[in-house]
Amino acid sequence: MLHTFVVYVEDKPGVLTRVASLFRRLNININSLTVGRSERAGLSRITLVCEASAEAGHRIRASLFKLENVVDVDDISQAPAVTRELALIKVAASPQTRAQIFDLVEVFRARIVDLTSESLMIEMTGVESKIEGLIEVLREDEGRILEICRSGKMTMRRGHHVSSVVKAMTVTPAGSADESAEAREKNVAGEAD
Amino acid sequence: MATNGNSQSSTAHLTTPTPLTGAEILWATLAGEGVTDVFGYPGGAILPVYDALRKFPIRHILVRHEQGAAHMADGYARASGRVGVAMATSGPGATNLVTGIATAMLDSIPMVCVTGNVPTRVLGTDAFQEVDITGVTLPITKHNFLVTRTEDVAATLRHAFQIARSGRPGPVLVDITKDAQQGSANFNFEAAKPRPYRPHPMLRVEDSGLDQAAELIRNAKRPVILAGHGVMESGAMEQVRTLAERAQIPVALTLLGLGGFPASHPLNLGMMGMHGEAWVNDAIQEADLLIACGMRFDDRVTGTPATYALKAKKIHIEVDPAEINKNVKVDVALVGDLAEVLEQLLPRIAGRDGAAWLKAIEASKGAVAVHDIKNLPDMGHLYAAHVMHDLWRMTGGDAVVVTDVGQHQMWEAQYFRHERPRTLITSGGLGTMGFALPAAIGAKIACPEKEVWVVAGDGGFQMTAAELATIVQEKIKINIALINNGYLGMVRQWQEFFYERNYEATPLVCPDFVKLAGAHGIAARAVHKRAEVAEAVAAARSAAGPYLIDFQVEKEDAVYPMIPAGSALHEMIRRPGKRVKDPLEETADE
């Protein structure tokens, strides 16, 4: 089955390698991976989708937690959630053929974000099937698609759910824990002087 | 465990008015963490650290190969429960640690490895002796760090010690660039303290689980406790014993669990698994309840999981949530520190009559004992099993035995009866040949008052035999029992059983080990007959310095019983009674 994990990690060099290496070690292919900033400074949020047996979910989550830089792990494979992907698609279009693309973009509720005399760029967000649908239609005219850039999935639980771990961290004064450790060191250094 | 940390000396003096170099901060932090001994080997990228050593009250043991340093730190940790520390330079020094780190990782041993690296400005340029050691060791460390700033040295090292000794312990590597060692910064031990340790968020010991476990125990007719390495890591010897005695449940031990429950205890079944005694494995296969305490259902313990203990409900008490349902599906999981969980469980456990089950197990021992080599006459041969048995008798079971990997390791586990925790030190998970000699050096330095014996085969011993020189230079009194059969014995045994006796690459031409010891100035003698065993062991024990005994044992003996890989626990190969040309044939019948 498809597993979806939301993982909060410390924003430090090498952390993504550690997460990816865990899946490599378990011989599990990562289908989709999206990493970006989170609501909290110093923490990155990963949405990771992989194919593994139903029982594997527990072990993956437990193993992720064992990584020193992992702060929280949420297995939302079964939970009601909103999932989105982003796609940028560059298509060849002359002033004569643009109108047809505009119609398509309208139907798919995408947007044109760049336009030249020879091509235009479509930006689209949505679920995977919707993006696939647009690409499929564009492909009907051979040679029209020049470039496709697609993100992995971004997923968030529905309802009033927040990471209890990250919430608990917010109780400490502003700045990441490391920054405060640094500040503490500076203070001490000041005292020593 | 939170309890197995090094005792921290007073930290009041650990603030300095003037800045220290990174190298000095490193030693001061180690001292603050209670480190008294470091095993290492110098080199260019760690020279600033070695230069600063003379200012600190820490003993450095110069090894002959960095693998030895890692195994020594490992043996030190296993013998004492304290964090072992190994040190090496960049590049080849660091990569030589790798086998030792993996050994510690597989057996959950708390260890901190410090490596030097090239200066930060040339990191990633393939500079001389540069290797990406944090990349290399990523999957075989609990965590690792690259330190490029002097002001991060103290905090990183302290964090490394916290990680190494907390939860399920493991090795941590700290790679420090040369410029970070040379730079200077203010040092304040207290300020470098890591954030409070966060236990694994998936630890779960709920009342419902405890009640369920108690009920399973109450209703069980044929229960068995499976005690593993976690018993010692958690310090749960008393709790396991109380559980066993109160509910009259027999205890089977994993290899790394030996010593966690006294061998002489009437409820002790002995070692389970591939080379476990037949009655132990039969009891597990017949059991209707298994209570797994700090063990992970390793494949050497279960045989084929699909055939493992099918009649039994299973309770798993384990500190690492990732181990739950990994190899064997369990009915009740109590995820937490073993001692703490058992403290919660014990009030729910009442006295139980286990007589019928214990009697049934006892009855199955008789048939097996006939096959036991211990009960066979030697007829002039020297069997490793006899050597182990005699060594156990003569040392009163008090010695710390450090074994290598192979046949002798299994014979030791079968015939040396361990009464106390940390008296058997062996590489279980990784099965690292060459482990014994260096690990024994570490064990002796951790516990100088203890009698330490190396038990090693002629193959594994030669992998790290260079550390004999370390023994001499550091004046370390350990005794070495070499089980010399001129073969890579365990591999030969597999060839005998499963590869039609095609002894490819297993016969071993060995040096004269007595002369080899002599070349190092180590007293030694060879033993060919059982009658000479006791005298040689006595001579070794009374010798002031290290002593090596070359036990030249039966060449083609095998470890019995044996469960072939991929078989069920009850499908074991027994010591043959009637096989032509078997050396035991003549001894048994004549």
Side-chain angles (χ1 to χ4, degrees), chain A residues 10 17-18 21 24 58-59 61-63 65-66 68-71 165 177-178 182 184-185 188-189 192-193, chain B residues 138-139 142-144 149 151 155 159 163 168 186 188 191 193 195 198 200-202 320-322 324 326:
Chain A
E10 292 174 317
T17 308
R18 292 175 195 275
S21 183
R24 174 192 56 76
H58 166 86
R59 191 173 167 214
R61 182 160 175 259
S63 302
F65 265 128
K66 283 166 70 176
E68 194 56 32
N69 305 110
V70 167
V71 173
V165 177
D178 285 314
E182 258 178 44
R184 206 166 57 209
E185 242 178 60
V188 171
D193 293 337
Chain B
L138 189 143
K142 198 173 165 196
H143 191 62
N144 60 27
R149 302 185 329 155
E151 44 280 40
H159 194 184
I163 294 169
R168 179 177 177 173
N186 287 311
N188 183 314
K193 196 166 127 179
R195 276 176 275 168
R198 185 188 70 159
H200 195 295
M202 289 165 74
D320 181 357
I324 304 299
K326 184 178 90 175

Side-chain angles (χ1 to χ4, degrees), chain B residues 219-516:
Chain B
N219 296 331
K221 297 272 183 291
R222 301 181 307 278
V224 178
I225 291 172
L226 310 176
H229 191 204
V231 175
M232 271 164 278
E233 290 292 340
S234 166
M237 285 75 70
E238 272 313 302
Q239 289 84 349
V240 169
R241 189 173 172 155
T242 306
L243 173 66
E245 287 174 353
R246 190 181 300 167
Q248 285 297 296
I249 305 174
V251 180
L253 300 161
T254 67
L255 174 64
L256 290 188
L258 293 176
F261 190 77
S264 60
H265 196 288
L267 289 169
N268 186 315
L269 288 179
M271 183 173 71
M272 65 179 100
M274 183 174 269
H275 293 292
E277 299 295 356
W279 63 80
V280 189
N281 290 329
D282 286 341
I284 291 169
Q285 289 299 74
E286 282 305 308
D288 64 355
L289 176 65
L290 297 179
I291 307 154
C293 298
M295 55 87 73
R296 58 186 176 95
F297 293 107
D298 178 77
D299 58 80
R300 285 302 190 260
V301 151
T302 60
T304 305
T307 59
Y308 180 71
L310 298 177
K311 301 168 189 167
K313 297 266 187 197
K314 288 149 196 118
I315 300 169
H316 198 182
I317 311 174
E318 166 61 45
V319 72
D320 181 357
E323 292 294 347
I324 304 299
N325 293 330
K326 184 178 90 175
N327 299 334
V328 169
K329 187 131 179 42
V330 298
D331 300 277
V332 179
L334 300 170
V335 193
D337 175 71
L338 180 61
E340 289 170 21
V341 174
L342 287 176
E343 284 296 340
Q344 288 176 266
L345 181 63
L346 283 170
R348 294 167 160 88
I349 306 294
R352 224 184 116 264
D353 178 16
W357 172 229
L358 292 173
K359 211 173 140 193
I361 295 174
E362 200 57 39
S364 69
K365 286 185 185 175
V368 176
V370 178
H371 292 272
D372 192 330
I373 187 169
K374 198 172 65 187
N375 298 321
L376 298 174
D378 59 80
M379 301 301 285
H381 294 267
L382 181 60
Y383 291 111
H386 291 159
V387 174
M388 297 306 162
H389 187 66
D390 292 352
L391 187 61
W392 164 67
R393 273 194 324 203
M394 294 200 59
T395 56
D398 272 339
V400 174
V401 182
V402 186
T403 74
D404 220 78
V405 169
Q407 287 186 317
H408 71 276
Q409 179 188 30
M410 293 299 114
W411 281 315
E412 198 282 347
Q414 292 176 335
Y415 295 102
F416 195 104
R417 301 178 60 75
H418 291 276
E419 294 295 317
R420 273 177 287 283
R422 305 191 187 280
T423 57
L424 169 59
I425 292 176
T426 192
S427 165
L430 196 67
T432 308
M433 287 174 70
F435 174 78
L437 178 60
I441 294 171
K444 182 68 182 181
I445 286 175
C447 306
E449 73 290 354
K450 297 239 174 83
E451 177 180 352
V452 176
W453 279 83
V454 172
V455 173
D458 44 326
F461 183 74
Q462 290 184 76
M463 283 193 175
T464 51
E467 304 300 342
L468 284 173
T470 308
I471 296 177
V472 176
Q473 180 164 354
E474 297 289 336
K475 300 189 171 56
I476 292 161
K477 162 61 182 167
I478 55 174
N479 300 318
I480 301 166
L482 210 56
I483 306 302
N484 180 356
N485 59 8
Y487 276 108
L488 299 174
M490 187 58 93
V491 184
R492 188 208 58 76
Q493 175 171 340
W494 282 56
Q495 290 171 332
E496 177 187 341
F497 290 176
F498 314 120
Y499 294 89
E500 297 164 326
R501 301 191 178 214
N502 176 20
Y503 296 160
E504 189 65 50
T506 41
L508 209 53
V509 174
C510 294
D512 181 329
F513 288 108
V514 174
K515 282 189 183 157
L516 180 70

Side-chain angles (χ1 to χ4, degrees), chain A residues 55-138:
Chain A
E55 308 84 66
H58 166 86
R59 191 173 167 214
I60 293 170
R61 182 160 175 259
S63 302
L64 279 167
F65 265 128
K66 283 166 70 176
L67 299 177
E68 194 56 32
N69 305 110
V70 167
V71 173
D72 197 12
V73 185
D74 193 10
D75 181 351
I76 56 174
S77 313
Q78 313 280 353
V82 175
T83 299
R84 290 293 179 269
E85 288 181 32
L86 170 68
L88 295 175
I89 306 164
K90 192 178 285 175
V91 294
S94 62
Q96 292 75 32
T97 56
R98 268 179 211 155
Q100 191 199 349
I101 309 268
F102 288 174
D103 289 346
L104 269 179
V105 165
E106 184 77 11
V107 170
F108 279 89
R109 286 187 211 144
R111 297 199 294 154
I112 308 288
V113 290
D114 186 47
L115 185 75
T116 69
S117 55
E118 290 141 304
S119 70
L120 52 80
M121 194 194 300
I122 305 168
E123 174 200 305
M124 177 163 177
T125 58
V127 295
E128 188 178 11
S129 58
K130 193 174 146 191
I131 292 170
E132 295 285 352
L134 174 61
I135 292 170
E136 206 170 301
V137 175
L138 290 170

Side-chain angles (χ1 to χ4, degrees), chain B residues 111-179:
Chain B
M111 181 162 106
V112 169
C113 294
V114 177
T115 50
N117 210 335
V118 298
T120 309
R121 66 175 191 284
V122 295
L123 269 181
T125 65
D126 298 335
F128 177 65
Q129 291 197 328
E130 187 201 356
V131 78
D132 170 18
I133 196 62
T134 47
V136 169
T137 58
L138 189 143
I140 54 161
T141 48
K142 198 173 165 196
H143 191 62
N144 60 27
F145 296 93
L146 170 64
V147 180
T148 57
R149 302 185 329 155
T150 306
E151 44 280 40
D152 295 339
V153 169
T156 308
L157 273 170
R158 294 205 64 184
H159 194 184
F161 274 83
Q162 182 194 51
I163 294 169
R165 59 165 78 106
S166 58
R168 179 177 177 173
V172 180
L173 180 131
V174 182
D175 192 29
I176 307 176
T177 56
K178 196 170 181 179
D179 51 315

